[in-house]
Amino acid sequence: MTATATIAVSLPNRSHSWRGMPLPAKAFVGMIVLAGTATLLYGAIHQTSRNIAEFICYLGIAVLASRLKVNLPGITGTLSVNFLFILIGVLELSFAETLTLGAVSMLAQCFYRDRPNAIQVTFNVCAGSLSTAAAYVVYHHPIANDLVPSHPLLLGIAASVYFIANAGSIATVISLTERRPFIQILVGCYFWSFPYYLVGAGIAGTIAWLNQKFNWETSLLIVPAAYLIYRSYRLYLGKLEDEKRHVEEMANLHLRTIEALALAIEAKDQTTHEHLQRVRIYAIEVAKELGVKGAELEALHAAALLHDIGKLAVPEHIISKPGRLTPEEFEKMKIHTLVGAEILERVRFPYPVVPIVRAHHEKWDGSGYPMGLKGAEIPIGARILSAVDYLDALASDRQYRRALPLQEVMQKLAAESGKSFDPKVVDVLQKRYQHLERLAVAKTAEDQNTPLSTSIKIERGEAPAAGFENASAQDSPGREGSFLSSIAAARQEAQSLFELSQDLGASLSLGETLSVFSVKLKPMVPYDAIAIYIQRDQELIPEYVNGDNYRLFSSLRIPMGQGLSGWVAHNKKPIINGNPSVEPGYLNDPTKFSTLRSALAIPLEGVGGVIGVLALYRAERDAFTSDHLRILMAVSSKMALSIENALKYQQAESSATTDYLTGLPNARSLFLQLDRELARCKRDNSSLTVMVSDMDGFKQINDRFGHLEGNRVLRLFAQALKETCREYDYVARMGGDEFVVVAPGLPPDVTVKKAEQLRTLAKQAGLEVCNEEILSLSVGQAVYPADGEDAEELLAEADRRMYLEKQKQLSYKDRRSQPRLKCRVTIELQPEAGGAPVFGSLTDISMGGCYVETSSILSPGTKIKLGFSMEDGSLTAEGAVARIDPGSGIAVQFKEPNREGRETMFKILEHVQKSTAFYNNRYFENLLKR
């Protein structure tokens, strides 16, 4: 079975001709041709024949056997079964006859179903002649017979030499031409047939033995055996081809499925059609340059088409929004990576597509989403896809901007190298982006797939019995279009207004409400720019702006009564086709130029009056009609109500976490922020300093100067405290005159300086209001993780240290008559004037008074009786309301006690301390059980 493939198969498609071959391949082919020609000339000169009839018989059978071919696995070459007769010739015929038999059978094999050129035929004949001569010399040479006395073994060696010489010559040409490893070609494409050569050697030896025992005519008996070998090859390799074909069909099926899914994405967002093709071409070429191959390359091919399939779960108004997304919209947009991965997991691709789709928005420095992977943690396919996707997004037209020049895009991409993108990927794109762009344009032009026919009109088909029977009725001339379009517009308007009203009440987020409104409004009332102003402190502030001149409108601050929108808000009347340039501050800069020529503005009236103005702008003059005004007036009340509700919700959300007096975060917000900071410190293995401060002498300010001045001191200190802290420090008011500073990574030496700075700020606030040094500050610090692992432990330790410092300061100046005890106990308050008892939460207590958190309002001076225990009625105290913090609580000053009263107060303090410790322990036990 000569392992001779045609030379056309040995060379790649670009090198079928002698000119296309590399120089080393030409040299090797020339060497083989020269050696083979010399061998054939030698055989022709030294012709001998033992039995001419036997030679002719073997020659005819060998020619016939050369027609029995099978395809090689992995390449398009062929193998024939004539090797058996060449080995018989080595045993039974002379050198010239064997050489002739090999050359003629090789020639017959070359012309079977093919039309090779001259160099192909010459190479095959010469290579076959050399292989035949080498096998003949090995078997008949005296030295070989002396070294290997066993003839069967010598025949096996001759067959091996024939295989190596014949297959090796072809593998060498392929290696030199395609630059593939010689051993890989020889073993992968030919070595599997080597055992058959050894079997053939055994059959040839058996035939030679029969010839010696009988006569050469017995050789005819090998014809059925040769045909049987041929059929076995055909069946075996045919099965391999069927399996290969099945695998290719399944791969094509997957590819067609991918393309169909990609078309589904295009139906959702028509702007992605060229985007997908361009990204796919760029990504595949970059991956090849980086050495990606096999399953990873197939996965990237699929992911390049399907990476945005998760956008099917993103609302259409977000996908098609012509401008920057709000934080809420961006949070919704981010889910498309996870949704896309979940969709593709169900497809069960045979290659890793899902990890690429899930991670294609990860960034090299770890700031991406959804998992925050960084560096080599990101799959190589996702790294390639993210860079290519970024490049294509900037180089393509979008609804909100024009495409950037490719050179400028590459500069932006290079600036993100090592931050957002893999530097290796960026380097490849910088080197090859011009070639890749030409390739993408060429392949996109060849693409036969067109977007889905989502806008096609179907002419055939009868209308259902749903009120359309008069649709073809004729109206008066010139009125058919307007009549029918009015009906259609009315139906469409009703449906659109219904959908708009439904959407307006669906969210309490002001940004989301205005964004949805602008998207839904545009089909009904076309505009080039939209601005929704909200009234704050006699000014109209742009809360939502989109479209042309975005920056100009966003910077406006319109006084009530001035300009177009100010006049509308002040007079509560709409303006149609007004002049946009009259808005105050819109075109103050002479270098600015506006293309907008007409405006439609309406007031938005809520329950308490005008809350804002809705203004639409167009580039054409007199672009708005009375129908547009009517539609806006129809939705204005619903729009105003939605905005009013969103503003109230925004205010309530802010007040729930903000101290009304100082504007600082309150205790609830402090605990939430402290938990977040602690979680971050645990991840980063960093420190966190918590500083708790309490004003000493603040009660004297309230008693001597009044509570309004006390509030002024608190505001001044809070403002100074906020200004002197770092921008990432967190400053909060715990309540009363206590403030907390959360300072990440603050060194111990800086903490001491910071505490001294806080004391100075408190002293300055008291001096500015009271004109005397009446105020000081006690500060306690706690550091994570040394002083505590959670918020409760850190605040408790800082509070304890703060009171230790406060006790030391009592000897210096008696700012408080008694130290306070922090607690959390429910008590009963009974006004002396009568009425129902009031319950409150006792937060601190001393021998001189206490502070109770309650929503009840009791005027200062009201005498009350406080009950501290439901079980022990003797634990009571009398006092008067010293001050009131509306909505927060009251401060109570106890009646000056006698000796018996002091003993009762000691019992009360002991009871409060034990109750607080009991509830604290139970709280921590419940936390541990979770």
Side-chain angles (χ1 to χ4, degrees):
M1 185 183 294
T2 52
T4 52
T6 62
I7 194 68
V9 175
S10 301
L11 299 177
N13 291 334
R14 62 180 176 84
S15 306
H16 283 181
S17 65
W18 174 260
R19 292 182 179 179
M21 295 174 64
L23 184 59
K26 289 180 179 180
F28 180 79
V29 170
M31 183 181 66
I32 293 295
V33 171
L34 289 175
T37 303
T39 302
L40 289 173
L41 289 174
Y42 178 84
I45 295 171
H46 300 84
Q47 291 188 11
T48 58
S49 178
R50 302 175 186 174
N51 188 332
I52 190 65
E54 181 182 8
F55 166 69
I56 293 173
C57 181
Y58 284 152
L59 179 61
I61 297 174
V63 171
L64 292 176
S66 65
R67 317 285 286 196
L68 304 179
K69 291 185 178 182
V70 291
N71 292 326
L72 285 171
I75 61 173
T76 56
T78 59
L79 296 175
S80 67
V81 296
N82 63 357
F83 82 102
L84 183 59
F85 301 97
I86 294 175
L87 292 179
I88 292 175
V90 170
L91 291 172
E92 295 293 318
L93 302 178
S94 66
F95 178 81
E97 290 174 332
T98 305
L99 200 60
T100 303
L101 187 147
V104 172
S105 61
M106 187 69 66
L107 194 63
Q109 179 177 319
C110 289
F111 285 93
Y112 180 65
R113 294 183 181 176
D114 296 319
R115 291 178 179 238
N117 56 36
I119 187 61
Q120 295 169 357
V121 175
T122 305
F123 176 84
N124 287 333
V125 171
C126 291
S129 300
L130 283 175
S131 303
T132 303
Y136 194 95
V137 169
V138 167
Y139 186 79
H140 290 281
H141 200 278
I143 296 177
N145 281 270
D146 292 338
L147 294 175
V148 184
S150 174
H151 287 279
L153 182 58
L154 192 59
L155 180 60
I157 294 174
S160 301
V161 169
Y162 181 86
F163 168 80
I164 294 172
N166 195 17
S169 62
I170 300 175
T172 302
V173 175
I174 297 176
S175 176
L176 294 174
T177 304
E178 297 184 354
R179 294 184 176 87
R180 292 165 54 190
F182 169 81
I183 298 298
Q184 178 184 353
I185 298 171
L186 184 63
V187 174
C189 296
Y190 297 102
F191 195 77
W192 63 272
S193 63
F194 177 68
Y196 291 94
Y197 281 79
L198 299 180
V199 173
I203 296 175
T206 302
I207 293 173
W209 180 79
L210 290 175
N211 287 346
Q212 292 176 3
K213 292 293 183 180
F214 302 99
N215 52 43
W216 67 269
E217 287 83 1
T218 56
S219 300
L220 298 177
L221 296 175
I222 68 168
V223 174
Y227 184 78
L228 182 62
I229 294 174
Y230 166 75
R231 289 300 301 171
S232 67
Y233 275 143
R234 292 287 295 179
L235 292 175
Y236 173 73
L237 293 181
K239 184 177 180 181
L240 290 180
E241 286 296 323
D242 289 340
E243 292 178 356
K244 179 182 177 182
R245 191 180 304 109
H246 176 69
V247 171
E248 291 176 348
E249 289 175 353
M250 293 303 297
N252 290 333
L253 178 61
H254 270 101
L255 184 59
R256 290 194 298 271
T257 303
I258 292 169
E259 292 173 349
L261 289 173
L263 284 175
I265 301 173
E266 294 168 21
K268 179 80 172 178
D269 181 11
Q270 290 291 340
T271 62
T272 64
H273 177 65
E274 294 182 1
H275 161 77
L276 290 173
Q277 296 299 326
R278 190 182 197 180
V279 167
R280 178 181 64 83
I281 294 167
Y282 267 69
I284 294 300
E285 294 300 320
V286 171
K288 291 178 180 178
E289 187 76 13
L290 292 174
V292 178
K293 55 186 177 181
E296 289 186 344
L297 188 62
E298 293 294 333
L300 180 59
H301 189 174
L305 290 173
L306 297 176
H307 63 281
D308 281 337
I309 192 173
K311 288 184 179 178
L312 294 171
V314 180
E316 187 173 352
H317 72 87
I318 296 179
I319 295 176
S320 59
K321 181 179 179 180
R324 186 182 296 274
L325 299 180
T326 65
E328 295 80 10
E329 291 170 341
F330 183 63
E331 288 298 322
K332 189 68 175 177
M333 177 65 80
K334 287 195 294 187
I335 70 170
H336 83 275
T337 55
L338 295 177
V339 173
E342 291 173 357
I343 292 173
L344 297 181
E345 279 178 346
R346 307 190 181 194
V347 179
R348 297 182 181 178
F349 286 99
Y351 26 79
V353 179
V354 174
I356 298 177
V357 173
R358 184 185 290 114
H360 78 276
H361 277 288
E362 300 286 357
K363 294 186 177 180
W364 184 255
D365 60 3
S367 61
Y369 63 89
M371 296 175 291
L373 302 179
K374 64 180 180 179
E377 297 174 352
I378 308 171
I380 180 64
R383 281 180 263 157
I384 295 171
L385 190 57
S386 64
V388 171
D389 201 11
Y390 176 85
L391 183 150
D392 178 77
L394 293 181
S396 302
D397 287 336
R398 289 291 186 266
Q399 295 175 341
Y400 48 91
R401 60 160 175 77
R402 291 289 184 186
L404 299 179
L406 203 55
Q407 189 172 4
E408 184 178 343
V409 172
M410 292 309 303
Q411 293 176 356
K412 292 180 177 291
L413 185 68
E416 291 297 320
S417 178
K419 300 176 184 177
S420 299
F421 309 118
D422 186 348
K424 294 181 180 178
V425 176
V426 176
D427 288 342
V428 173
L429 287 171
Q430 285 182 311
K431 293 175 183 176
R432 299 196 57 199
Y433 74 93
Q434 292 180 339
H435 169 72
L436 294 178
E437 181 63 17
R438 290 193 296 269
L439 184 63
V441 171
K443 290 193 175 182
T444 302
E446 296 172 1
D447 184 25
Q448 299 298 319
N449 289 328
T450 58
L452 299 179
S453 303
T454 54
S455 59
I456 193 171
K457 181 179 180 181
I458 307 299
E459 298 292 340
R460 295 183 58 83
E462 296 180 356
F468 302 130
E469 59 273 13
N470 295 325
S472 60
Q474 297 294 322
D475 197 358
S476 57
R479 296 197 42 163
E480 296 86 347
S482 60
F483 172 71
L484 296 177
S485 61
S486 297
I487 295 176
R491 293 178 59 85
Q492 184 178 2
E493 180 182 318
Q495 179 66 24
S496 299
L497 289 175
F498 174 76
E499 292 177 356
L500 181 59
S501 63
Q502 293 294 105
D503 291 334
L504 285 178
S507 175
L508 287 174
S509 169
L510 182 59
E512 185 176 347
T513 297
L514 300 182
S515 175
V516 172
F517 174 78
S518 66
V519 173
K520 295 289 185 180
L521 179 66
K522 194 166 188 177
M524 294 186 289
V525 184
Y527 57 82
D528 296 320
I530 181 173
I532 300 176
Y533 304 96
I534 302 298
Q535 181 181 347
R536 290 191 176 96
D537 299 330
Q538 295 301 307
E539 276 190 337
L540 293 177
I541 309 298
E543 186 69 29
Y544 178 85
V545 178
N546 201 354
D548 295 350
N549 296 339
Y550 168 85
R551 295 185 181 277
L552 285 174
F553 286 116
S554 298
S555 63
L556 297 184
R557 297 295 183 270
I558 304 175
M560 292 289 289
Q562 297 185 22
L564 185 144
S565 299
W567 186 93
V568 169
H570 181 74
N571 294 280
K572 300 181 181 179
K573 295 180 181 179
I575 288 181
I576 184 170
N577 292 323
N579 184 4
S581 62
V582 301
E583 299 284 22
Y586 180 60
L587 290 179
N588 286 345
D589 188 346
T591 62
K592 296 178 181 177
F593 175 77
S594 174
T595 59
L596 302 177
R597 294 290 182 269
S598 56
L600 172 58
I602 64 168
L604 299 174
E605 296 188 61
V607 177
V610 175
I611 63 170
V613 172
L614 167 62
L616 305 180
Y617 304 94
R618 290 286 295 274
E620 301 85 3
R621 292 187 182 276
D622 301 328
F624 296 103
T625 66
S626 57
D627 284 336
H628 295 153
L629 177 61
R630 176 178 53 79
I631 293 174
L632 289 187
M633 296 304 293
V635 300
S636 62
S637 59
K638 179 71 174 178
M639 183 64 182
L641 182 61
S642 298
I643 294 177
E644 201 167 36
N645 290 336
L647 290 172
K648 289 179 180 178
Y649 176 77
Q650 193 178 65
Q651 183 178 6
E653 192 175 38
S654 174
S655 62
T657 57
T658 305
D659 177 61
Y660 76 97
L661 180 63
T662 62
L664 295 177
N666 59 17
R668 177 175 178 270
S669 178
L670 169 66
F671 276 92
L672 295 175
Q673 178 66 20
L674 192 51
D675 286 337
R676 286 193 291 266
E677 287 290 341
L678 287 171
R680 183 190 60 78
C681 290
K682 290 176 183 178
R683 289 195 307 270
D684 300 341
N685 196 23
S686 58
S687 64
L688 180 72
T689 300
V690 177
M691 304 177 69
V692 177
S693 61
D694 184 85
M695 290 182 173
D696 302 317
F698 183 71
K699 182 176 182 302
Q700 294 185 31
I701 294 178
N702 283 334
D703 293 343
R704 292 175 53 190
F705 300 95
H707 293 286
L708 293 178
E709 293 300 306
N711 291 343
R712 185 182 166 201
V713 170
L714 292 176
R715 284 193 293 266
L716 286 174
F717 177 71
Q719 182 179 358
L721 185 60
K722 183 69 175 175
E723 291 175 351
T724 56
C725 287
R726 300 171 298 180
E727 62 179 11
Y728 52 86
D729 290 341
Y730 196 78
V731 182
R733 182 189 179 197
M734 278 288 285
D737 54 358
E738 289 191 11
F739 294 84
V740 176
V741 177
V742 179
L746 194 67
D749 55 337
V750 180
T751 303
V752 176
K753 295 180 181 178
K754 186 67 178 179
E756 190 60 36
Q757 184 185 31
L758 298 185
R759 296 186 187 98
T760 303
L761 293 177
K763 186 182 296 185
Q764 290 175 350
L767 185 62
E768 182 175 343
V769 174
C770 306
N771 204 24
E772 61 179 280
E773 291 188 10
I774 194 173
L775 195 65
S776 66
L777 195 70
S778 297
V779 183
Q781 305 95 17
V783 180
Y784 168 85
D787 298 323
E789 296 287 339
D790 57 26
E792 293 283 351
E793 293 178 1
L794 290 173
L795 288 172
E797 181 61 23
D799 194 63
R800 186 184 68 80
R801 294 177 179 176
M802 183 266 292
Y803 277 107
L804 288 176
E805 181 178 328
K806 185 182 293 293
Q807 290 172 3
K808 294 177 182 178
Q809 292 186 6
L810 288 176
S811 60
Y812 164 70
K813 191 169 185 179
D814 189 12
R815 307 240 190 267
R816 292 186 185 274
S817 59
Q818 300 291 343
R820 292 186 300 176
L821 171 67
K822 284 299 200 182
C823 56
R824 180 66 67 176
V825 178
T826 302
I827 65 172
E828 178 181 344
L829 294 82
Q830 178 65 55
E832 188 179 66
V838 176
F839 291 91
S841 179
L842 182 67
T843 59
D844 60 59
I845 185 172
S846 68
M847 294 291 290
C850 65
Y851 189 88
V852 183
E853 290 183 354
T854 177
S855 60
S856 299
I857 299 177
L858 299 173
S859 60
T862 302
K863 295 182 179 180
I864 58 175
K865 182 177 182 181
L866 295 86
F868 294 91
S869 174
M870 301 293 292
E871 292 81 15
D872 191 352
S874 64
L875 298 181
T876 60
E878 295 181 354
V881 177
R883 81 169 190 275
I884 178 172
D885 297 323
S888 177
I890 59 174
V892 179
Q893 183 176 0
F894 294 144
K895 214 169 144 183
E896 188 67 27
N898 53 24
R899 179 187 296 177
E900 185 178 344
R902 283 182 178 276
E903 292 178 358
T904 302
M905 284 306 303
F906 284 126
K907 291 180 181 180
I908 290 173
L909 290 173
E910 183 179 3
H911 168 75
V912 170
Q913 186 177 17
K914 289 182 178 179
S915 298
T916 301
F918 170 78
Y919 288 115
N920 285 343
N921 292 334
R922 190 168 70 176
Y923 173 76
F924 288 123
E925 288 174 0
N926 291 334
L927 284 180
L928 292 174
K929 288 179 182 178
R930 295 179 188 174

